[in-house]
Amino acid sequence: MSEEKQTKPGGKRTGSGKGNRTTPKQAEKPKAAAKNKTESASAAPAQHKGQRGRGKRGAVTAAPPQAQESMISLVSNPLAQTAPQRPASSSNTGASKEFKLKIIPLGGLGEVGKNMTILQYGEQMLVIDAGIMFPEDDLYGIDMVIPDYSYLVENSQKVLAFILTHGHEDHIGAMPYVLRDVDVPVYSAALTLGLLKGKLNEHKQPAKLIPVKPRQEISVGPFRVEFIHVTHSIPDSFALAIHTPVGVIFFASDFKIDLSPIDGQMMDFGRLSALGERGVLLMLADSTNVEKAGFTPSEKTVGSTFDNIFLNAPGRIVITSFASNVHRIQQAIWAAKRAGRKVAIVGRGMQNIAVVAKELGYLDLPKDLLIDIDKINSLPSNKLLILTTGSQGEPLSGLTRMASGEHRQVHILPGDTVVISAAPIPGNERVVGRTIDNLFRQGATVIHEKGDGIHVSGHASREELKLLHNIIKPQFFMPVHGEYRMLVKHAKLAQQLGMAEANTFVLENGQVLEVDRQRCRVNGRVPSGRVLIDGLGVGDVGNTVLKERRILSESGILLVHMIYTCKGGTQILAGPEIFSRGFIFEKEYEHIIDEIKEKVIALCTMEKLTSFNNYDLSNQVRSTLARFLLERTGRRPVILPIISEV
Ligand SMILES: [Zn+2]
Ligand SMILES: [Zn+2]
């Protein structure tokens, strides 16, 4: 599928009030490209070793920390101009040739989660984010879903680096798997890398992690990547300005415009405006909340709600949230401090993040405020806050186990107040509802409703998205991160702001968007899809296994065990024994079990048997029993004959 779209001569955005805005091609691009070309001859040697001896990659040059402050200016920084060393093996990346830039989304389009995007210029690639998605109900027993990244594996020699925008699971969760196959440096903020490090340790997966700061730039092959601070529900979130030979690509991953951020770190409007003024060729931006009107309220509004709850709660308070929502955890901790309550952090996920965030200075958590979970009973109930996970009704989480009375240390008591400080991810509403019911049964007051002010989204609503479009004023736009309808609505939003429809591109995972200085078009497709993770297995559970799991879950299994011999006439040596799971309650269906046995014996002692081989007999047993059981019970269990001849 290929639909070429051209920039119309008047394709400049109207309605921005900037009739004389220079287009990207008139502005810095040609210069930047020329710079890259001329300097590739005197390229610096590759700095990073440990690339598993798979040949040379493009040089990856990061600025030393002391140079970070001086890197704020794009042009004055000499390091930022260090040109890439091209792979010696690829002759078609000659300095004179200009390529089209390819944007290849491997995940995050037509879905919420497993975000992953490739930028490819010639033979060199940059990967932005590698996240997971939580499985839907029809994925029996699957722990998580990651993007099919076989295109990266096929081209692993061309991959220069991973860039992570922020530390949420849907952006970093797949990294331990992807790094097994594509081992290149990973650039991101300290908190993101801290969270990633925890995951990599669990997987015993080594990696080269390189921290970067807001406004820092790195040169990776033909790409110059600039990290720009944005506000979101986790600290240290970045938007990326990627300066490429064809122009500037602005990648707004998850963000909201929070004008009173918890950590005081404002969104970097200065850099965003400067980029917009100089010209952005293509913008990619989060579409999660495009269906929400207005502005997303500031995270700070949740803090005053917490204060009110703390003022009025007669007994213990339990607050549950995403472990990664460091700002929310911070606000709960501050509210506890103001109310004179101690804080117990329950559950490994929440504890891990608290430790990492505190160590790196992202969480203000005084030691004397903490109390060990084993000691909570020594405190009066109105002096305690329990922080835990389980806002999505996850079966093994702290809150779910407290709700069902199965938690070892925390028993919900009448008078407890439970605050569910997160919105259920679509699809989780039912299990979350069940958890809430259970909490009410235990006598708790549960604060969970939308209007209660206990949660705000971390994603930009429509007015914020409009603001971003107006600041960045891109030539072309490709919505990312959202269900298909959200992507379409985001493209429409851009059109309402004056962008030509032909300049907006709604893609699906695996489709390739090709950009040069003037044009942008969808051209071609690479393999994409999902890889299912079940326990230690990566991608080994396919459709067949899922189908079997579905049948097992619907009708159960019946197992027939028997040993026979044909020597000197057919003789049954053991069995038939019948076992079932999830099919019928055997004690109440003894008559059926007896009939099953009779059928099996009859088949085995048929005259024809000597001419059967064992495989035929098993098949006969399977089909005969399937027919019989459907007739007698109306069910279709999986029938598993274990019949051997000696
Ligand atoms: Zn996200
Ligand atoms: Zn996020």
Side-chain angles (χ1 to χ4, degrees):
M1 157 173 186
S2 136
E3 33 178 308
E4 185 146 355
K5 297 180 181 178
Q6 294 226 0
T7 317
K8 299 191 181 91
K12 234 184 294 170
R13 290 277 296 278
T14 57
S16 67
K18 289 194 188 304
N20 61 348
R21 180 169 80 83
T22 50
T23 61
K25 58 181 166 174
Q26 291 163 329
E28 67 177 330
K29 246 74 54 184
K31 247 187 285 167
K35 209 180 294 162
N36 272 349
K37 281 178 212 158
T38 51
E39 288 180 7
S40 56
S42 60
Q47 290 188 341
H48 301 296
K49 298 182 183 92
Q51 289 172 353
R52 305 197 306 198
R54 295 184 310 180
K56 274 186 212 163
R57 294 174 188 280
V60 180
T61 48
Q66 67 270 22
Q68 278 157 20
E69 285 314 304
S70 67
M71 304 203 63
I72 291 168
S73 156
L74 284 183
V75 279
S76 67
N77 169 35
L79 278 162
Q81 296 168 14
T82 309
Q85 181 181 14
R86 306 211 183 263
S89 55
S90 42
S91 54
N92 56 344
T93 55
S96 60
K97 183 152 167 57
E98 186 161 290
F99 299 98
K100 288 190 166 72
L101 177 74
K102 290 178 179 172
I103 315 283
I104 308 169
L106 288 187
L109 301 196
E111 61 195 4
V112 173
K114 72 176 179 65
N115 300 299
M116 189 174 199
T117 309
I118 302 172
L119 264 62
Q120 180 172 3
Y121 186 75
E123 298 286 293
Q124 292 168 294
M125 290 182 186
L126 197 65
V127 185
I128 301 167
D129 292 337
I132 61 161
M133 191 159 76
F134 291 104
E136 284 150 14
D137 278 356
D138 59 341
L139 295 178
Y140 297 84
I142 295 300
D143 299 329
M144 57 172 120
V145 183
I146 63 172
D148 176 345
Y149 59 94
S150 46
Y151 181 69
L152 271 192
V153 177
E154 280 165 31
N155 294 284
S156 63
Q157 289 296 322
K158 299 174 189 165
V159 184
L160 305 176
F162 288 101
I163 310 282
L164 303 179
T165 57
H166 64 288
H168 278 151
E169 286 291 333
D170 56 328
H171 297 260
I172 68 168
M175 285 302 289
Y177 305 98
V178 181
L179 278 169
R180 285 184 203 171
D181 298 307
V182 186
D183 178 20
V184 294
V186 183
Y187 293 86
S188 195
L191 179 64
T192 310
L193 294 181
L195 296 174
L196 176 62
K197 207 184 270 174
K199 285 176 194 304
L200 295 176
N201 288 344
E202 275 174 37
H203 285 80
K204 299 192 175 63
Q205 173 65 49
K208 186 166 181 62
L209 308 181
I210 303 167
V212 290
K213 292 221 155 78
R215 291 202 170 190
Q216 190 175 338
E217 289 175 16
I218 56 163
S219 284
V220 184
F223 308 103
R224 189 153 50 83
V225 184
E226 181 187 353
F227 297 86
I228 301 163
H229 179 73
V230 292
T231 38
H232 184 40
S233 48
I234 186 167
D236 263 5
S237 295
F238 287 135
L240 308 170
I242 303 157
H243 304 256
T244 78
V246 300
V248 177
I249 311 301
F250 181 77
F251 192 104
S253 184
D254 296 358
F255 77 100
K256 70 190 271 186
I257 297 179
D258 194 333
L259 299 175
S260 51
I262 299 306
D263 55 8
Q265 301 294 313
M266 286 290 168
M267 188 148 162
D268 194 347
F269 293 109
R271 272 314 295 157
L272 297 178
S273 318
L275 284 162
E277 282 302 302
R278 294 182 66 176
V280 168
L281 182 66
L282 166 72
M283 175 164 89
L284 293 82
D286 175 26
S287 312
T288 310
N289 272 0
V290 72
E291 294 176 307
K292 297 215 169 88
F295 289 88
T296 304
S298 169
E299 174 67 30
K300 220 159 226 173
T301 59
V302 177
S304 36
T305 311
F306 280 175
D307 279 340
N308 277 332
I309 292 170
F310 277 69
L311 206 62
N312 297 315
R316 301 183 303 180
I317 297 174
V318 179
I319 294 182
T320 177
S321 170
F322 281 112
S324 62
N325 198 334
V326 178
H327 296 317
R328 192 67 49 81
I329 297 170
Q330 182 68 76
Q331 298 207 79
I333 290 167
W334 282 340
K337 194 173 165 187
R338 286 192 286 263
R341 290 183 183 240
K342 297 262 186 209
V343 180
I345 299 177
V346 178
R348 206 166 55 108
M350 190 70 97
Q351 273 168 349
N352 285 350
I353 289 196
V355 167
V356 172
K358 188 176 153 55
E359 252 178 37
L360 295 171
Y362 293 94
L363 194 64
D364 166 27
L365 178 53
K367 219 178 189 165
D368 58 354
L369 205 63
L370 276 175
I371 182 166
D372 197 89
I373 182 74
D374 293 320
K375 303 212 175 87
I376 57 171
N377 291 330
S378 65
L379 277 183
S381 60
N382 63 355
K383 291 286 172 222
L384 181 68
L385 164 67
I386 295 171
L387 276 176
T388 188
T389 53
S391 64
Q392 301 303 313
E394 307 94 312
L396 298 177
S397 66
L399 189 72
T400 310
R401 283 186 289 165
M402 288 173 203
S404 57
E406 286 165 5
H407 200 281
R408 219 158 32 88
Q409 293 130 321
V410 185
H411 306 277
I412 296 292
L413 305 168
D416 285 354
T417 302
V418 179
V419 181
I420 300 186
S421 186
I425 293 173
N428 290 350
E429 293 91 347
R430 209 167 37 88
V431 275
V432 174
R434 206 183 302 142
T435 305
I436 293 170
D437 278 350
N438 282 339
L439 289 165
F440 274 111
R441 273 193 195 100
Q442 312 269 359
T445 302
V446 188
I447 303 174
H448 64 95
E449 281 181 84
K450 258 194 182 154
D452 290 338
I454 37 143
H455 175 66
V456 293
S457 170
H459 297 268
S461 299
R462 287 185 73 83
E463 296 305 310
E464 291 156 273
L465 293 173
K466 286 182 194 168
L467 189 51
L468 184 77
H469 282 262
N470 278 317
I471 293 174
I472 301 295
K473 303 178 294 253
Q475 194 83 4
F476 301 109
F477 173 58
M478 170 179 162
V480 293
H481 300 3
E483 305 284 357
Y484 195 78
R485 65 174 190 283
M486 300 172 186
L487 304 181
V488 172
K489 287 178 188 179
H490 200 177
K492 290 239 155 71
L493 180 142
Q495 291 157 25
Q496 283 166 15
L497 296 175
M499 184 179 275
E501 189 185 344
N503 288 13
T504 59
F505 296 86
V506 175
L507 273 72
E508 305 222 46
N509 289 334
Q511 280 190 306
V512 179
L513 188 69
E514 265 185 5
V515 207
D516 62 21
R517 290 163 195 240
Q518 288 89 31
R519 282 181 303 178
C520 195
R521 64 170 187 159
V522 181
N523 186 18
R525 193 180 264 283
V526 307
S528 69
R530 58 186 193 185
V531 173
L532 308 179
I533 311 273
D534 184 6
L536 296 177
V538 179
D540 58 344
V541 175
N543 286 338
T544 317
V545 174
L546 281 178
K547 194 176 157 205
E548 284 172 5
R549 287 184 184 182
R550 183 176 55 80
I551 295 170
L552 285 173
S553 78
E554 283 168 1
S555 315
I557 183 167
L558 182 98
L559 196 141
V560 182
H561 178 240
M562 186 176 72
I563 303 172
Y564 69 96
T565 180
C566 291
K567 289 174 200 132
T570 308
Q571 215 187 333
I572 293 172
L573 301 178
E577 284 172 290
I578 310 296
F579 306 92
S580 77
R581 287 291 179 273
F583 167 53
I584 50 171
F585 187 51
E586 290 171 19
K587 283 221 168 79
E588 282 177 17
Y589 280 87
E590 267 177 50
H591 55 288
I592 293 222
I593 299 290
D594 287 341
E595 281 183 70
I596 293 171
K597 286 180 182 170
E598 280 165 28
K599 295 247 173 229
V600 176
I601 293 169
L603 274 174
C604 191
T605 49
M606 269 191 326
E607 271 178 64
K608 278 200 303 195
L609 186 63
T610 41
S611 64
F612 271 16
N613 62 33
N614 196 40
Y615 180 76
D616 291 336
L617 179 61
S618 294
N619 276 343
Q620 279 284 332
V621 167
R622 198 180 288 124
S623 55
T624 308
L625 291 186
R627 239 175 293 130
F628 168 70
L629 291 174
L630 183 62
E631 201 176 286
R632 293 295 301 271
T633 66
R635 300 175 195 177
R636 300 171 194 269
V638 173
I639 298 168
L640 199 60
I642 303 180
I643 295 178
S644 35
E645 184 190 349
V646 292

